[in-house]
Amino acid sequence: MTRLFAIIDCNNFYVSCERIFDPQLKHKPVVVLSNNDGCVIARSNEAKALGIEMGAPYFKIQAFCQRQNIVVKSSNYTLYGDMSNRVMHIIQGFEPNVELYSIDEAFIELLGTNHINLKKYLMHLVKTIKQYVGIPIAIGVGETKTLAKVAVFQAKKRLQQAVCILNQTMTYEQALMTTPIEEIWGIGRRWAKALTYRGILNAFDLSRLSPEVIRRQFSMVLANTLRELRGYVCLHLENKFTPKKNIMSSKSFGKTQSDYATIAEALSNYCARASEKLRAQGSLTQQLQVFLTTNRFKQTYYAPCAQIRLPQYTNDTRTIIRFAKAGLKKIFKPGLSYQKTGVLLCDLISQDIPLQTDLFNFENGCVKDRLDAKQRTLKVLDKINQRYAKDILFLACQRMQHTSPWMMRSENRSRCYTTRWEDIIEVKN
DNA sequence: TCTGGGGTCCTAGGACCC
DNA sequence: TCTGGGGTCCTAGGACCC
């Protein structure tokens, strides 16, 4: 029996989230900006029609937005994350085999569903999500994940329908021939260019080639994409919890910074965030990378990176900050204007693996009580922050004042309608 | 003035081993 | 004169995804 995969994709997700709580935005051109109001990361159909490009730097299109009355929103990840959870919860109520692929997409493998009534069933899912959460979605169905992605592209961009099932809504050949090479999942700008140069213009062209030749000339990854286009399953549903292998936290500053103490303060915050994620997934780290960059669009681009090996595995924010700061000291050059700093935790392992402790390190050594006390402190820290507010408890080195010069800009951020008591909408009679 | 923040996997090449 | 072959591990860099 052939397998069937579906991808559920939220339409213009961030814009749709904003529209739910501000219905005046409906039918208006809306864009959502990245952190620091840097560039465009989501557009309503009306904004797309006006020619706003994905990733466009905001400062370049600001005047245009004003002239065209485009509504500009700063990103509000707290809101989007919560709305995403609601959508995913409904999907999980419909199907047991769900892969939460990204904030606005989920794959499902359709097992035992009555395929004849598939369209009806999926339309019911679309309507349920619209009714209970308010987010419009599109669904694509195919024999592999890559074909499901082709189908959802057809649904959204060509058919303007909520559901597209390959071999039902349209033929397989029709779908592949009208999917441009750069729209195929797994083919980025570089490969699209190289393939176009060879006269491979759409998904159908690619599917006719020899996977072996593609593997030699490009890579295994592209050869698998080709096989998936032919209907051979290479990519399976990943629906088990797998801890991250790397954890990163970094952000651009609101304004460029040249003061060491200010940058160290920002870095301490990113370390705290990364350590929190590390503990949340039950891991320990032994290797840090601290990086610092000046503006990459300016002439003197300086982007050093310090690698730090910790004496032993840890998940303690205090240890991580201490070593990260030592790394920052090594790469910091006075007199430059920096734009961004951050930390990457690598070499992660599960905290459940029994570890050999360092015999000569008296700080952590074999003093079990002290280790336990440290872990208890961290647990309390995480619990309080989770329960009351993010960063209600923090280390002194994370903040010198209430607001710091490195903090990011966010001029048009909407309220946290669903996660903060003060922000809940009041209905008046 | 102003250009995001996370991740993954694969490959090639070097070091090292027997 | 002729100077092996096979394997592993690690790392950096490059491709991709949202």
Side-chain angles (χ1 to χ4, degrees):
Chain A
M1 197 182 109
T2 51
R3 298 168 70 176
L4 273 189
F5 292 87
I7 173 108
I8 295 145
D9 192 340
C10 299
N11 298 343
N12 313 330
F13 183 58
Y14 298 166
V15 170
S16 299
C17 290
E18 297 289 345
R19 277 179 170 165
I20 292 172
F21 298 94
D22 187 355
Q24 290 185 357
L25 301 182
K26 270 187 190 166
H27 311 299
K28 283 191 189 158
V30 182
V31 298
V32 176
L33 302 178
S34 64
N35 276 342
N36 259 325
D37 294 344
C39 54
V40 174
I41 52 168
R43 306 156 296 160
S44 71
N45 291 342
E46 297 79 5
K48 288 176 192 170
L50 287 170
I52 302 277
E53 297 276 326
M54 188 69 168
Y58 179 53
F59 74 93
K60 284 190 182 169
I61 57 161
Q62 193 169 8
F64 180 78
C65 290
Q66 276 162 3
R67 275 202 307 276
Q68 300 285 341
N69 287 323
I70 297 174
V71 181
V72 177
K73 307 293 286 186
S74 305
S75 42
N76 182 346
Y77 288 106
T78 314
L79 177 67
Y80 310 150
D82 187 60
M83 297 309 283
S84 171
N85 287 340
R86 291 163 191 239
V87 171
M88 299 305 175
H89 193 75
I90 292 179
I91 297 171
Q92 284 166 325
F94 269 68
E95 283 290 324
N97 295 313
V98 183
E99 172 185 343
L100 308 180
Y101 177 65
S102 73
I103 193 161
D104 65 339
E105 284 168 280
F107 281 105
I108 54 182
E109 184 165 2
L110 297 152
L111 302 170
T113 312
N114 185 345
H115 290 184
I116 299 166
N117 285 326
L118 189 55
K119 177 143 192 196
K120 208 172 148 195
Y121 175 66
L122 295 175
M123 282 307 296
H124 180 44
L125 175 57
V126 172
K127 280 183 193 151
T128 308
I129 292 176
K130 182 72 186 159
Q131 184 184 344
Y132 287 93
V133 192
I135 298 281
I137 60 163
I139 304 180
V141 179
E143 291 175 12
T144 64
K145 285 165 107 178
T146 306
L147 285 172
K149 278 277 204 176
V150 166
V152 84
F153 165 77
Q154 293 289 333
K156 287 169 92 162
K157 299 288 159 68
R158 298 195 64 252
L159 306 173
Q160 265 127 43
Q161 289 177 11
V163 175
C164 174
I165 303 167
L166 287 196
N167 292 326
Q168 201 170 310
T169 316
M170 64 197 305
T171 68
Y172 167 86
E173 283 83 8
Q174 255 180 340
L176 265 64
M177 280 178 181
T178 53
T179 302
I181 198 81
E182 67 275 10
E183 298 290 346
I184 301 169
W185 187 46
I187 297 181
R189 230 189 275 149
R190 290 285 170 92
W191 287 354
K193 204 174 153 195
L195 289 163
T196 304
Y197 182 74
R198 289 164 156 83
I200 315 300
L201 304 181
N202 57 51
F204 187 78
D205 292 346
L206 181 63
S207 73
R208 297 293 96 192
L209 298 177
S210 144
E212 196 40 46
V213 170
I214 286 294
R215 191 193 64 77
R216 275 203 305 275
Q217 292 183 0
F218 289 84
S219 80
M220 196 61 209
V221 179
L222 189 55
N224 280 342
T225 298
L226 192 164
R227 289 192 188 96
E228 285 243 319
L229 285 175
R230 290 187 182 180
Y232 297 108
V233 175
C234 301
L235 305 168
H236 298 269
L237 216 65
E238 290 171 29
N239 52 3
K240 290 195 194 76
F241 167 75
T242 38
K244 300 265 176 282
K245 295 171 180 172
N246 297 295
I247 292 174
M248 173 137 90
S249 180
S250 83
K251 261 194 201 79
S252 302
F253 306 127
K255 272 187 253 161
T256 55
Q257 302 294 331
S258 27
D259 173 44
Y260 173 81
T262 308
I263 295 173
E265 182 189 304
L267 180 64
S268 304
N269 276 277
Y270 306 146
C271 288
R273 183 75 47 244
S275 315
E276 205 177 86
K277 288 194 216 168
L278 186 71
R279 292 192 291 274
Q281 69 165 34
S283 302
L284 305 171
T285 180
Q286 199 179 19
Q287 177 108 15
L288 311 181
Q289 279 181 28
V290 172
F291 47 87
L292 186 63
T293 65
T294 59
N295 190 329
R296 68 179 188 278
F297 298 98
K298 296 286 156 61
Q299 280 184 334
T300 48
Y301 184 42
Y302 175 60
C305 173
Q307 306 246 12
I308 304 120
R309 185 127 198 113
L310 305 180
Q312 55 203 312
Y313 282 97
T314 184
N315 63 5
D316 193 323
T317 309
R318 294 161 291 189
T319 313
I320 291 169
I321 290 181
R322 186 152 47 87
F323 281 94
K325 275 191 185 166
L328 179 66
K329 216 163 231 168
K330 276 193 212 154
I331 54 176
F332 178 83
K333 267 206 270 186
L336 294 175
S337 289
Y338 295 98
Q339 196 200 20
K340 182 176 173 177
T341 188
V343 66
L344 178 71
L345 312 182
C346 16
D347 193 6
L348 307 189
I349 57 154
S350 163
Q351 65 187 10
D352 301 328
I353 294 173
L355 284 177
Q356 185 149 22
T357 48
D358 182 351
L359 186 63
F360 302 104
N361 188 324
F362 296 109
E363 191 191 342
N364 286 330
C366 307
V367 193
K368 194 170 174 303
D369 290 348
R370 272 185 76 170
L371 273 175
D372 287 349
K374 278 185 165 190
Q375 287 302 318
R376 278 202 300 276
T377 311
L378 293 167
K379 261 196 187 132
V380 168
L381 176 80
D382 289 339
K383 254 196 179 152
I384 291 178
N385 282 337
Q386 237 171 43
R387 171 145 185 203
Y388 295 101
K390 196 167 132 187
D391 280 343
I392 201 163
L393 269 189
F394 56 88
L395 301 182
C397 63
Q398 282 177 250
R399 206 151 308 156
M400 296 183 283
Q401 291 144 6
H402 181 60
T403 53
S404 298
W406 52 268
M407 287 180 175
M408 70 172 185
R409 279 191 314 273
S410 197
E411 314 260 328
N412 304 300
R413 170 142 41 176
S414 45
R415 291 144 59 186
C416 293
Y417 299 106
T418 59
T419 51
R420 200 189 294 160
W421 286 113
E422 311 91 81
D423 286 0
I424 286 180
I425 291 178
E426 288 177 28
V427 179
K428 291 178 184 147
N429 287 324

